[in-house]
């Protein structure tokens, strides 16, 4: 349907410059359904408004960080094997089991963002290749990265989505299994003889990978927030980066990258960007263009702030020993914590 189709092909009439014409679910439906769902029916297309994402992350001159502490996290009570994985035409997605507000022993991963929200649940995690945001580093050099992880938290009271841009191996295996089992079905008509790459792990193995539950509320066998490579970030108000590009998204973008191996990166590229990606009807489905699924940089009227080590010290400095350079944000506390 021409009214609902969109692509990343820059010169196409369906490309990013024309996303403003994509119909959304309330009037026929072409946008990303999870974005529309979590905005409580506000599914009007906002791709041509003036508070869009992604952007170049460079702090607005004179703007200071108003946050007074790092994210405080809870691992929740839902185990890794309860995550719903999917390979979509424009993103690799992991959707977390819904939070039960009435049962304190049945919670999703949660975090408390300083000066923004109480503890709010994580709802999904997307992986894009390469990164959509660019970052101006401390030397004044513009950087972008091989990929970008976007973790979405839903703040129901104010109907906002908080996106945090962050061991990835089990995620990769799950996404590979979806991609490869679909192709197996399309070729052989069955998945009965497909051998999954992902194998469930014992509780002890999960504890070895993700750490135990000591000091982090929750009983889950994994911890989403172990993926965070730092507690410092840029912040700004923006939008989702795919149609319907809804605003009301509060970005907290970490200023250090998560490291993975070249082999892991190439496996992710194969699943998300290769031409053999298929949907459940065996149709070629990838929206990738020139090996990317990235929206071009957008103009955004909102200011950008940055929270560094001069705003606060990390809550548990010892956990960063050997992970941060001593010059990182003037990490003077590392000497005391790490010896």
């Amino acid at each position: 349907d021409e009214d609902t189709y969109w692509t990343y092909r820059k010169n196409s009439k369906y490309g990013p410059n024309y996303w403003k014409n994509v119909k959304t679910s309330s009037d026929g439906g072409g946008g990303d359904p999870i974005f529309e769902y979590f905005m409580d029916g506000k599914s009007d297309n906002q791709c041509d408004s003036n508070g869009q994402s992604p952007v170049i992350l460079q702090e607005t001159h004179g703007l200071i960080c108003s946050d007074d502490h790092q994210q405080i996290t809870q691992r929740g009570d839902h185990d890794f094997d309860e995550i719903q994985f999917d390979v979509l035409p424009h993103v690799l997605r992991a959707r977390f089991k819904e939070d039960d507000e009435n049962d304190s022993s049945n919670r999703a991963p949660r975090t408390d963002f300083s000066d923004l929200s109480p503890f709010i649940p994580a709802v999904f995690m997307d992986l894009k290749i390469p990164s959509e945001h660019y970052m101006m580093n401390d030397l004044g050099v513009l950087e972008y990265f091989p990929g970008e992880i976007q973790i979405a938290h839903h703040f129901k009271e104010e109907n906002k989505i908080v996106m945090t841009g962050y061991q990835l191996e089990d995620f990769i295996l799950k996404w590979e299994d979806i991609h490869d089992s679909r192709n197996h079905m399309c070729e052989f008509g069955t998945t009965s003889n497909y051998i999954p790459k992902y194998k469930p792990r014992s509780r002890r193995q999960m504890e070895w990978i993700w750490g135990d539950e000591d000091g982090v509320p929750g009983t889950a066998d994994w911890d989403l927030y172990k993926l965070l490579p730092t507690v410092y970030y840029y912040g700004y108000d923006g939008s989702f980066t795919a149609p319907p590009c809804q605003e009301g998204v509060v970005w907290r973008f970490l200023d250090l990258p998560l490291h993975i191996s070249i082999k892991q990166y190439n496996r992710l590229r194969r699943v998300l960007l290769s031409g053999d990606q298929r949907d459940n009807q065996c149709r070629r489905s990838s929206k990738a263009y020139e090996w990317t699924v990235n929206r071009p940089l957008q103009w955004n009227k909102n200011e950008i702030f940055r929270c560094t080590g001069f705003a606060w010290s990390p809550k548990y400095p010892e956990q960063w020993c050997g992970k941060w350079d001593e010059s990182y944000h003037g990490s003077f506390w590392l000497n005391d914590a790490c010896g």
Side-chain angles (χ1 to χ4, degrees):
D1 188 332
E2 289 197 1
D3 291 333
T4 61
Y5 181 73
W6 56 275
T7 180
Y8 289 97
R9 187 176 294 274
K10 294 181 175 61
N11 297 322
S12 167
K13 66 177 181 178
Y14 307 110
N17 290 336
Y18 299 92
W19 285 1
K20 62 185 178 182
N21 300 321
V22 176
K23 286 188 177 180
T24 56
S25 64
S26 63
D27 52 11
D32 189 317
I34 200 169
F35 296 166
E36 296 169 353
Y37 172 80
F38 284 111
M39 296 307 285
D40 292 338
K42 295 182 179 179
S43 54
D44 54 308
N45 188 309
Q46 299 181 0
C47 294
D48 64 343
S49 57
N50 59 9
Q52 292 289 293
S53 300
V55 300
I56 295 174
L57 296 164
Q58 182 176 24
E59 57 192 310
T60 303
H61 181 70
L63 190 65
I64 63 172
C65 171
S66 61
D67 295 357
D68 58 12
H69 66 78
Q70 70 181 66
Q71 286 180 240
I72 308 300
T73 66
Q74 298 177 355
R75 67 194 295 154
D77 305 293
H78 304 152
D79 286 346
F80 185 84
D81 287 337
E82 297 179 82
I83 301 172
Q84 178 183 336
F85 288 83
D86 206 353
V87 175
L88 299 176
H90 65 296
V91 72
L92 302 180
R93 177 165 292 161
R95 185 166 178 176
F96 309 122
K97 185 178 176 182
E98 193 166 345
D99 187 75
D100 188 340
E101 297 178 349
N102 300 315
D103 184 356
S104 61
S105 64
N106 189 18
R107 294 287 177 85
R110 301 160 68 85
T111 191
D112 166 16
F113 290 93
S114 174
D115 199 34
L116 178 61
S117 71
F119 278 98
I120 54 176
V123 288
F124 66 90
M125 183 182 95
D126 283 354
L127 189 145
K128 307 293 289 286
I129 295 175
S131 65
E132 293 193 296
H133 287 79
Y134 286 63
M135 184 186 302
M136 190 67 71
N137 69 20
D138 294 334
L139 299 176
V141 177
L142 192 63
E143 294 182 314
Y144 78 103
F145 300 95
E148 181 173 317
I149 294 176
Q150 302 170 349
I151 302 177
H153 299 77
H154 192 204
F155 188 10
K156 291 183 179 179
E157 284 74 11
E158 295 192 15
N159 195 30
K160 290 182 177 180
I161 292 286
V162 185
M163 299 284 274
T164 308
Y166 309 122
Q167 309 54 82
L168 209 54
E169 178 62 21
D170 283 351
F171 285 87
I172 299 173
L173 290 171
K174 284 280 194 176
W175 284 318
E176 284 181 318
D177 277 338
I178 292 172
H179 176 278
D180 295 346
S181 64
R182 283 179 183 169
N183 284 359
H184 193 92
M185 168 64 81
C186 294
E187 183 174 356
F188 300 106
T190 179
T191 57
S192 60
N193 57 346
Y194 173 75
I195 302 175
K197 295 176 172 61
Y198 172 79
K199 302 292 191 298
R201 302 181 188 275
S202 69
R203 190 88 187 184
R204 177 172 292 184
Q205 289 173 320
M206 293 298 284
E207 182 176 305
W208 182 81
I209 295 170
W210 296 100
D212 58 31
E213 304 159 19
D214 291 348
V216 184
T219 61
D221 63 359
W222 73 296
D223 188 349
L224 171 66
Y225 303 105
K226 291 289 187 180
L227 294 174
L228 276 62
T230 182
V231 297
Y232 300 119
Y233 49 79
Y234 292 89
Y236 77 100
D237 291 343
S239 72
F240 291 119
T241 61
C245 315
Q246 289 164 317
E247 297 185 0
V249 176
V250 181
W251 283 89
R252 296 289 184 265
F253 199 95
L254 304 184
D255 68 0
L256 280 182
L258 172 70
H259 293 280
I260 63 173
S261 70
I262 294 176
K263 184 177 179 179
Q264 287 177 316
Y265 176 64
N266 288 331
R267 288 161 59 199
L268 289 167
R269 291 180 83 237
R270 181 184 73 88
V271 172
L272 180 58
L273 305 179
S274 67
D276 66 346
Q277 184 193 109
R278 297 179 185 271
D279 63 17
N280 290 326
Q281 284 74 48
C282 294
R283 298 170 299 192
R284 295 191 184 276
S285 57
S286 177
K287 291 183 181 291
Y289 174 64
E290 294 183 342
W291 289 88
T292 71
V293 282
N294 293 148
R295 187 185 191 189
L297 292 169
Q298 301 293 302
W299 181 82
N300 188 307
K301 62 182 174 56
N302 299 313
E303 296 180 313
I304 300 174
F305 67 88
R306 188 181 187 187
C307 293
T308 71
F310 299 102
W312 68 75
S313 299
K315 186 176 181 180
Y316 301 109
E318 62 278 0
Q319 80 178 85
W320 305 107
C321 293
K323 298 179 180 179
W324 292 346
D325 187 276
E326 290 186 3
S327 63
Y328 177 60
H329 295 325
S331 304
F332 46 84
W333 56 83
L334 287 179
N335 291 329
D336 294 332
C338 306

